[in-house]
Amino acid sequence: MKTATRRSLGRKSLLATALGLFALAGLAAQPAAAEERAKDLFGAKKLPVATSPQSIGFYSKGCFAGGVAIPMDGPTWEVMRPSRNRRWGHPAMIAVIEKLSRDAAADGWPGLLIGDISQPRGGPMMTGHASHQIGLDADIWLTPMPSSPLSVAQRETKSATLMVDEKTHLVKDALWTPAHARLLKRAASYPEVERILVNPGIKKKLCDTVKGDRDWLRKIRPFWGHDYHFHMRIGCQPGSPNCKAQEATPPDDGCGKPLAWWFTEEPWRPNKNPDAPKARDLMTMANLPKECRAVLDAPGPASAEAATYHGGSVPVAAAMPEPEVPSLPATTASGAAGLPSSVNAFTATPEIGIPLPRPRPGN
């Protein structure tokens, strides 16, 4: 009887020990499983990193340091949706936007309404874009700036004009003007600008109507969405050795067979898995370049005004001494940990070479 009791107690002791070890293993694994999403961490940052500018990673998987803000108002622009706090970018990006606003005004465009650029430190956004993560993307509305200044409330609620018929995928001729074409041509004329994304209907309108010089049309690339704004992207800038460049655009005007594909049924078929999680909803810091951890943890400037770009002058934040932020280690050849291919919806496509800004229509 005593032997049986000892065996029973022994088995219970082993079971308790095993359960204890299992519990400890579970606790050890918990932090990795519960790691915060990168979009929550970057979305919480209200100010940039106070250092020299540097874009890190790819347009759809990265971050940036030394960002500056475009002022809320300028003589030829206004920032829309200010509560999003997405008026930040690499200084080169902000300079291009301001230059476009001045040049476009000289061309007859009343002024730019500026949509999203980037978050203060880039990274995945809480909502919307897949790209805009390294400070080199900007959305410009195809609605001109009104003659009277918009109030803050109007900037939050005013709707942009949809330029394309959702059924035919063609531009609404009653809304399209030669000034729209001049605006896009002006943006494409800058050497810093590598591509401009527009709705396929807008690309077709340009292909059908532009006479004479058509070389700039190669930068105008059709893509889903972009029916009320265009997406302007510049290339990796000097001082950003860890910035990953995008594919070059083809040398032709892009008005042939690739454009014709957009006017078939295939691009507009419903998403086969519309409820699949988006990459930004799954990304953790492990999925971003490791330098982005230093960007996330680095100190910022005293205020947004200290890091606001004013007509080419150097913002205070960008002029602060380099030692105030952790040094950013070089990227390894293999890059950051990648997401499983089954959940990464933003892989560059061979024809266009850019990440998806949003999925296909849901229905």
Side-chain angles (χ1 to χ4, degrees):
M1 190 70 173
K2 290 182 180 179
T3 303
T5 301
R6 288 195 192 98
R7 287 175 180 173
S8 176
L9 290 173
R11 284 195 294 269
K12 289 180 180 178
S13 177
L14 288 172
L15 179 61
T17 301
L19 289 172
L21 291 172
F22 182 78
L24 289 173
L27 288 173
Q30 188 174 3
E35 185 177 354
E36 281 191 89
R37 295 175 300 184
K39 73 173 188 178
D40 296 326
L41 297 171
F42 278 97
K45 294 296 182 180
K46 305 302 181 186
L47 294 171
V49 176
T51 185
S52 56
Q54 182 180 162
S55 296
I56 301 161
F58 190 59
Y59 298 87
S60 59
K61 191 164 69 175
C63 60
F64 71 106
V68 296
I70 191 167
M72 292 292 300
D73 298 277
T76 49
W77 76 84
E78 290 181 278
V79 172
M80 305 301 289
R81 307 296 188 261
S83 64
R84 294 180 179 177
N85 196 29
R86 295 176 179 178
R87 62 188 178 106
W88 302 86
H90 189 288
M93 180 80 258
I94 304 303
V96 168
I97 296 171
E98 289 199 9
K99 178 176 173 57
L100 174 62
S101 76
R102 295 190 300 270
D103 291 347
D107 293 338
W109 189 259
L112 301 183
L113 295 182
I114 300 170
D116 292 347
I117 307 173
S118 291
Q119 298 176 140
R121 304 185 186 201
M125 291 186 179
M126 291 295 295
T127 59
H129 315 278
S131 58
H132 291 254
Q133 293 192 29
I134 57 176
L136 305 178
D137 296 288
D139 288 344
I140 308 296
W141 286 23
L142 289 165
T143 304
M145 188 174 81
S147 56
S148 299
L150 296 170
S151 67
V152 173
Q154 288 173 322
R155 296 185 197 204
E156 294 290 354
T157 58
K158 178 180 173 64
S159 296
T161 303
L162 297 179
M163 304 296 296
V164 177
D165 187 297
E166 294 181 356
K167 294 182 179 179
T168 65
H169 309 299
L170 298 175
V171 164
K172 299 176 182 177
D173 287 325
L175 299 177
W176 186 259
T177 69
H180 287 95
R182 288 197 299 269
L183 174 64
L184 291 167
K185 181 177 181 179
R186 178 63 70 177
S189 72
Y190 303 138
E192 302 94 332
V193 174
E194 291 191 348
R195 74 182 69 228
I196 295 170
L197 304 184
V198 298
N199 186 277
I202 293 175
K203 172 71 175 185
K204 177 172 172 53
K205 172 61 73 173
L206 294 171
C207 288
D208 291 346
T209 59
V210 170
K211 308 298 181 184
D213 174 27
R214 293 170 62 90
D215 182 65
W216 60 276
L217 289 177
R218 66 181 176 81
K219 292 186 180 181
I220 310 295
R221 312 305 299 174
F223 216 70
W224 289 283
H226 303 94
D227 42 16
Y228 69 88
H229 71 278
F230 65 92
H231 177 144
M232 180 170 64
R233 173 175 291 176
I234 66 173
C236 293
Q237 297 297 300
S240 298
N242 299 317
C243 180
K244 184 179 178 181
Q246 63 189 338
E247 298 174 14
T249 56
D252 62 9
D253 61 12
C255 294
K257 188 175 180 180
L259 178 61
W261 176 80
W262 288 97
F263 295 92
T264 65
E265 291 184 6
E266 204 283 329
W268 311 106
R269 290 173 184 161
N271 191 334
K272 293 181 179 179
N273 192 10
D275 297 326
K278 295 178 173 58
R280 66 167 178 269
D281 296 326
L282 298 168
M283 282 184 179
T284 65
M285 293 304 296
N287 301 124
L288 297 178
K290 63 180 181 295
E291 296 88 352
C292 289
R293 172 56 69 180
V295 169
L296 193 66
D297 296 338
S303 66
E305 179 58 28
T308 298
Y309 185 97
H310 290 288
S313 60
V314 179
V316 174
M320 293 179 74
E322 194 75 25
E324 293 198 15
V325 298
S327 60
L328 301 177
T331 303
T332 62
S334 59
L339 288 170
S341 59
S342 60
V343 298
N344 187 355
F346 308 115
T347 303
T349 59
E351 297 83 5
I352 304 168
I354 51 124
L356 293 174
R358 71 185 192 194
R360 294 186 181 191
N363 50 50

